[in-house]
Amino acid sequence: WYQRRVRVTGCVSPYNPTLIFVGCEDGSISVWDLNEPGNLHSSAQVNNLAFTVRSPTYNTSSVQVAEAHHSKITHMDAVRLDQELQVAASFQIASLDESGILIVWVVISVTDA
């Protein structure tokens, strides 16, 4: 189950506005794909209104390598490529933590074929 992490900063995919990236205090990055069906997530009801409570689609907390962030993410931004270099199914996200470590993540969208 997803543990509560405090959000610090975030950004949206430059090519797909339904992909949301959020950097957290523990150094992890969570990704939400808003195109995921609601039945994959929890639901809640407040004042007779139903809401979908989405868990992250992916979280980097399972990345157990020295190159991962180990301190609070302070900034995230989408790396925009020249239109000719852009591949619709991939792009990059840059994340900076408070210790000065900058990581550029390659995001590859996989679709069912």
Side-chain angles (χ1 to χ4, degrees), residues 3-21:
Q3 294 179 343
R4 179 177 155 82
R5 292 175 168 76
V6 178
R7 173 190 83 75
V8 175
T9 185
C11 65
V12 176
S13 163
Y15 308 113
N16 182 351
T18 65
L19 291 177
I20 311 297
F21 299 82

Side-chain angles (χ1 to χ4, degrees), residues 5-98:
R5 292 175 168 76
V6 178
R7 173 190 83 75
V8 175
T9 185
C11 65
V12 176
S13 163
Y15 308 113
N16 182 351
T18 65
L19 291 177
I20 311 297
F21 299 82
V22 175
C24 301
E25 281 189 346
D26 66 355
S28 67
I29 296 171
S30 293
V31 182
W32 280 266
D33 180 354
L34 302 181
N35 279 333
E36 283 184 334
N39 64 354
L40 296 177
H41 301 279
S42 307
S43 60
Q45 192 161 349
V46 178
N47 296 331
N48 294 325
L49 295 173
F51 295 93
T52 299
V53 181
R54 292 183 176 269
S55 297
T57 304
Y58 180 77
N59 183 281
T60 63
S61 63
S62 63
V63 177
Q64 301 291 324
V65 295
E67 293 83 15
H69 289 294
H70 298 288
S71 60
K72 179 170 65 174
I73 307 293
T74 59
H75 188 76
M76 292 186 70
D77 206 356
V79 178
R80 298 186 184 275
L81 301 174
D82 183 307
Q83 276 304 103
E84 292 181 16
L85 298 176
Q86 176 195 347
V87 176
S90 68
F91 57 94
Q92 297 173 331
I93 298 291
S95 57
L96 178 70
D97 68 27
E98 66 184 359

